[in-house]
Amino acid sequence: MAKVLMKGNEAIGEAAIRAGCLNYFAYPITPQSEVAEYLSRRMGEVDGVFLQGESEVAVSYMIFGAAGAGARVFTTSSSPGISLMSEAMSYIAAAQCPAVFVNIMRGGPGLGGILPSQGDYFQATKSVGHGDFRLLVMAPASVQEAVEMTMQAFPLAEKYRNPVMILGDGLIGQMMEPVEFPDHLKVEPVDNSSWATSGMDHRGSKTRNLVKSLFLDPAALNNNNLVLKAKYERMQREEVRWETYNGDGDYDALIVSYGTMSRVCRTAIDNMQAEGLTVAMLRPQTLFPFPEQAVYEAATREQCRVVISVEMSMGQMVEDVQRSVKGHRPVQWYGKCGGEVPTPEEIVEVVTESLAAN
Amino acid sequence: MAKGKTFSKPKALSDAHTHYCPGCTHGIIHRLVAEAIDDLGIRGRTVGVAPVGCAVLAYNYFNCDFQEAAHGRAPAMATGIKRVRPDLMVFTYQGDGDLASIGLGEIVHAANRGEKFTTIFVNNAIYGMTGGQMAPTTMPDQRTTTSPFGRKADEVGMPMRMAELLASLATPAYVTRQAVLRPKHINKARKAIKQAFTYQVASRCFTFVEVVSTCPTNWGMTPTDAIDWAEETLLPYYPLGEFKVPE
Amino acid sequence: MAYEHCIETERCKGCGLCVAVCPKNVLELATEVNTKGYFPAFRARPDDCIYCAICCNMCPDVAITIAASEDESA
């Protein structure tokens, strides 16, 4: 499989097609408009559907309608746009339809900026929209991983009949890196004739299907929530993924970082290692389900004295790290916002200061 | 015995008793849609999209695949369905709060893109489900729970004429306003609704049927008075007819 | 051809729209409520009924149907 040098945004678009998703609805927003530009050309070549909607709100309901009709479908947007899609994600989770949302994060809050950020961690993992529901959230650290996670998102969405989010940041979208599209990641869609509004004739069925999220009867609504909850618990058992770096032996400090930020931390770790200071990193690949147990075990290793959550935000994942470490080690945050990316030197400085203080 | 007529429930309507208030003409419009679906033999490939409003429970009253939209978003959902499955017959059934207020962006753009689904727009000049608030179609001086002294046009503007608004778009479409106040209106509305679905079967264009309807409960009238009030007050402002027909 | 006019009393909500449009003034609202507490419509003067189905057309609840019945004497 020859590698192709591609921009992240375009690679994500191509990944969806290679995964067998031929339906894309979107609205332009920096820093991810290139996905739409690319697919506006490419979808025609594969007899797919491309449509630019009038707003992210409308787009998110085009996604819901298409998903409800049983089609594989996805959209991409960025932070403010994802905020506009949050209501639909709640409806799609409640109605139990598979759909993939890609958020290429930009600086916030408000109109914020157009440079990379990780400021939507809470939004993606804690409060996507109203009601008790979660998204399966995967955070790529490279364009190749963005391709693979995008391809994996479709069978996962269908496995759980729940929206799945790819949470990248502006760099993931804008970087160009060599990528390949592993054929084995293309999985045939699961049969959805039991629930999708695909047309009775199409299913050869006399019973109609209904995709809805209204449950006026409290017992029925409570039951629907229990059904969803069971799925999220299953996600926590079966889908949690993370990577460690430089963490095989003993180390004095543990960095927890994801996405592009984790790559800067790798450089910092290498630089410290060269100076004789061993620091490890745990990189969550799924943000929900969060690798709590893995973080706990990595943090409570004998020699490890401090844990630092390094994020391009004002400290959001740090709360999950604290929750995972359960007070056994001091946990602090370090990060920058607005599109400024912490440098390896800054990280080295933070780690050494933290170790000195502990 | 003089030549009489038979009359039976269309197959596309379920047996469920509707939750609509006595005399609410939603029920008539449901039947007309179901009759069109039966006449054209498309029930097996029809998907309806319900709004949020009194007609949210429309999905209980139709024997075909259905999706229930968020408030105002039915045209976007219908776009999604129709685009991925152009062979499906798709219709949205929406009230005036759903379509003309929160969902105005969605309906205007769906019409302007020429999405090949059918919209049934029930205009009863009020928010029903939430208890009688002012809608974009509420008449001047019409009292509602949020215009207790009557709608003041100099404060909140004049009522919106959706058929004319959509007919002003350049994209080919079938846009008509009907009513279900008197039997003669119902017969015309039946033809218009069937025409709309016929255009969809032929994949011709976006089709929009506004239907002037009553809301006895929230207008604070008996069902028959509501019919009279609608005829005297609504029809002059919301003229019936075909505003746009594809060439 | 003979017809059988049927009003489903449990489905009727007593809205009176049929009573108002019947060209032969056949219909009235009952004085006894149905299980839902509505006074259902009924044919007070069935002989005047011409089976024109205008009442069926006007009924928001499809509570009124007319079936063709083979029975000549009806």
Side-chain angles (χ1 to χ4, degrees):
Chain A
M1 168 77 86
K3 291 209 172 191
V4 184
L5 186 63
M6 278 184 100
K7 180 173 229 176
N9 284 330
E10 295 187 354
I12 287 167
E14 184 62 28
I17 290 177
R18 299 296 185 91
C21 174
L22 302 182
N23 304 295
Y24 175 73
F25 300 86
Y27 188 82
I29 182 167
T30 304
Q32 60 77 59
S33 302
E34 293 88 345
V35 187
E37 292 165 352
Y38 178 76
L39 290 180
S40 67
R41 298 192 305 274
R42 183 79 174 101
M43 274 300 186
E45 294 167 3
V46 293
D47 265 348
V49 166
F50 164 83
L51 183 66
Q52 178 178 318
E54 61 270 29
S55 73
E56 287 96 343
V57 174
V59 161
S60 60
Y61 284 97
M62 293 174 193
I63 295 292
F64 186 14
R72 219 171 229 183
V73 64
F74 91 116
T75 187
T76 62
S77 187
S78 175
S79 309
I82 296 292
S83 291
L84 291 178
M85 296 186 172
S86 54
E87 182 199 43
M89 285 190 235
S90 175
Y91 272 73
I92 291 169
Q96 301 196 67
C97 295
V100 174
F101 291 81
V102 178
N103 179 6
I104 301 298
M105 291 179 280
R106 56 187 270 169
L111 191 51
I114 58 170
L115 294 178
S117 146
Q118 295 182 324
D120 301 351
Y121 181 92
F122 282 156
Q123 177 187 46
T125 61
K126 306 286 184 233
S127 60
V128 183
H130 61 285
D132 283 290
F133 78 100
R134 311 299 291 260
L135 297 182
L136 200 161
V137 183
M138 296 188 278
S142 67
V143 175
Q144 180 62 41
E145 194 172 37
V147 161
E148 290 172 15
M149 284 179 170
T150 299
M151 294 183 79
Q152 290 160 339
F154 295 98
L156 282 169
E158 281 153 24
K159 171 179 176 182
Y160 290 98
R161 279 177 60 190
N162 196 81
V164 170
M165 175 173 279
I166 305 296
L167 192 65
D169 58 64
L171 288 163
I172 297 288
Q174 292 295 328
M175 272 191 294
M176 289 188 79
E177 288 185 315
V179 289
E180 58 190 353
F181 301 89
D183 293 336
H184 72 278
L185 291 181
K186 175 172 183 176
V187 177
E188 283 314 306
V190 174
D191 172 47
N192 53 41
S193 48
S194 66
W195 57 268
T197 62
S198 46
M200 292 190 289
D201 292 352
H202 181 78
R203 301 190 295 276
S205 158
K206 283 276 168 282
T207 51
R208 67 86 179 257
N209 282 343
L210 171 59
V211 168
K212 68 151 177 120
S213 58
L214 179 67
F215 297 91
L216 289 174
D217 164 40
L221 183 53
N222 186 58
N223 180 58
N224 196 52
N225 275 282
L226 291 174
V227 167
L228 302 185
K229 186 173 173 54
K231 292 197 283 188
Y232 305 136
E233 283 162 355
R234 183 180 174 198
M235 281 181 192
Q236 284 172 311
R237 289 193 306 274
E238 297 180 10
E239 310 303 337
V240 67
R241 278 164 50 191
W242 72 94
E243 258 185 6
T244 56
Y245 181 71
N246 204 37
D248 298 338
D250 287 336
Y251 43 83
D252 299 302
L254 175 70
I255 288 175
V256 183
S257 188
Y258 69 95
T260 316
M261 192 64 249
S262 66
R263 294 172 67 163
V264 177
C265 293
R266 273 177 185 250
T267 307
I269 287 168
D270 294 346
N271 296 349
M272 287 184 274
Q273 192 62 58
E275 301 297 321
L277 173 59
T278 304
V279 174
M281 175 172 70
L282 187 144
R283 176 173 78 89
Q285 293 168 289
T286 56
L287 301 182
F288 182 84
F290 188 74
E292 293 152 26
Q293 188 53 31
V295 168
Y296 174 77
E297 284 162 10
T300 52
R301 291 274 283 276
E302 187 74 33
Q303 197 175 316
C304 177
R305 304 207 310 275
V306 289
V307 182
I308 304 166
S309 174
V310 182
E311 310 170 54
M312 285 163 17
S313 74
M314 289 293 103
Q316 296 183 31
M317 182 174 66
V318 61
E319 294 190 5
D320 277 336
V321 177
Q322 283 162 339
R323 184 169 54 82
S324 307
V325 174
K326 306 189 185 92
H328 288 279
R329 290 293 184 285
V331 177
Q332 68 183 80
W333 155 81
Y334 176 72
K336 285 173 105 172
C337 230
E340 290 198 316
V341 181
T343 64
E345 294 69 31
E346 287 167 36
I347 295 166
V348 169
E349 198 184 325
V350 166
V351 172
T352 40
E353 274 169 19
S354 178
L355 282 171
N358 289 279
Chain B
M1 172 56 79
K3 185 83 186 61
K5 287 187 192 147
T6 58
F7 191 95
S8 56
K9 183 175 74 60
K11 281 204 224 50
L13 272 189
S14 76
D15 291 331
H17 288 215
T18 71
H19 71 293
Y20 299 118
C21 306
C24 165
T25 46
H26 260 307
I28 298 173
I29 303 167
H30 280 36
R31 194 192 73 235
L32 299 182
V33 172
E35 283 168 356
I37 291 171
D38 279 11
D39 292 354
L40 294 167
I42 55 174
R43 185 163 69 91
R45 59 189 177 112
T46 296
V47 181
V49 183
V52 169
C54 289
V56 63
L57 294 178
Y59 60 70
N60 286 332
Y61 309 135
F62 285 94
N63 277 333
C64 62
D65 280 358
F66 237 88
Q67 294 189 8
E68 175 250 296
H71 198 27
R73 315 310 175 196
M77 287 184 72
T79 298
I81 301 166
K82 193 71 181 186
R83 290 272 171 158
V84 299
R85 288 287 308 282
D87 57 308
L88 290 174
M89 294 296 112
V90 182
F91 72 95
T92 73
Y93 186 102
Q94 301 174 253
D96 37 19
D98 192 84
L99 181 135
S101 197
I102 188 171
L104 186 67
E106 277 75 8
I107 192 65
V108 169
H109 282 282
N112 199 59
R113 286 192 302 266
E115 299 292 343
K116 296 191 174 48
F117 61 78
T118 298
T119 286
I120 307 297
F121 167 48
V122 179
N123 174 2
N124 58 9
I126 203 154
Y127 277 76
M129 167 71 83
T130 43
Q133 295 79 16
M134 183 178 74
T137 45
T138 294
M139 293 303 287
D141 305 324
Q142 182 184 344
R143 291 175 189 276
T144 72
T145 55
T146 50
S147 60
F149 311 110
R151 177 186 186 137
K152 299 280 177 284
D154 56 2
E155 284 177 19
V156 294
M158 289 296 284
M160 291 172 77
R161 295 189 180 108
M162 285 309 302
E164 289 83 343
L165 190 148
L166 294 180
S168 73
L169 299 170
T171 311
Y174 173 63
V175 178
T176 173
R177 177 181 295 117
Q178 301 292 325
V180 282
L181 307 178
R182 307 286 180 196
K184 62 176 180 178
H185 296 139
I186 296 171
N187 293 332
K188 281 213 190 101
R190 174 184 294 109
K191 288 198 189 73
I193 289 171
K194 185 175 178 185
Q195 179 59 66
F197 277 95
T198 303
Y199 279 132
Q200 179 171 176
V201 168
S203 200
R204 276 295 288 287
C205 60
F206 171 70
T207 51
F208 180 85
V209 183
E210 177 174 347
V211 186
V212 176
S213 188
T214 64
C215 181
T217 297
N218 288 303
W219 292 356
M221 301 170 193
T222 67
T224 42
D225 290 348
I227 294 276
D228 297 339
W229 182 81
E231 193 164 46
E232 289 144 19
T233 310
L234 296 186
L235 291 194
Y237 188 82
Y238 297 110
L240 305 183
E242 295 189 332
F243 294 86
K244 195 170 192 179
V245 179
E247 295 81 38
Chain C
M1 175 69 88
Y3 299 96
E4 203 183 314
H5 185 284
C6 162
I7 297 178
E8 223 183 311
T9 50
E10 288 317 311
R11 190 177 285 272
C12 172
K13 295 173 184 165
C15 73
L17 291 185
C18 59
V19 174
V21 296
C22 174
K24 298 296 179 186
N25 192 22
V26 168
L27 300 165
E28 281 178 16
L29 294 187
T31 51
E32 303 294 325
V33 289
N34 64 14
T35 52
K36 287 193 261 188
Y38 296 123
F39 295 97
F42 72 103
R43 288 200 305 167
R45 290 160 289 282
D47 298 338
D48 300 342
C49 175
I50 57 169
Y51 301 98
C52 63
I54 289 178
C55 57
C56 309
N57 201 19
M58 195 70 221
C59 174
D61 293 280
V62 200
I64 312 175
T65 52
I66 298 175
S69 75
E70 291 321 311
D71 177 359
E72 267 311 310
S73 60

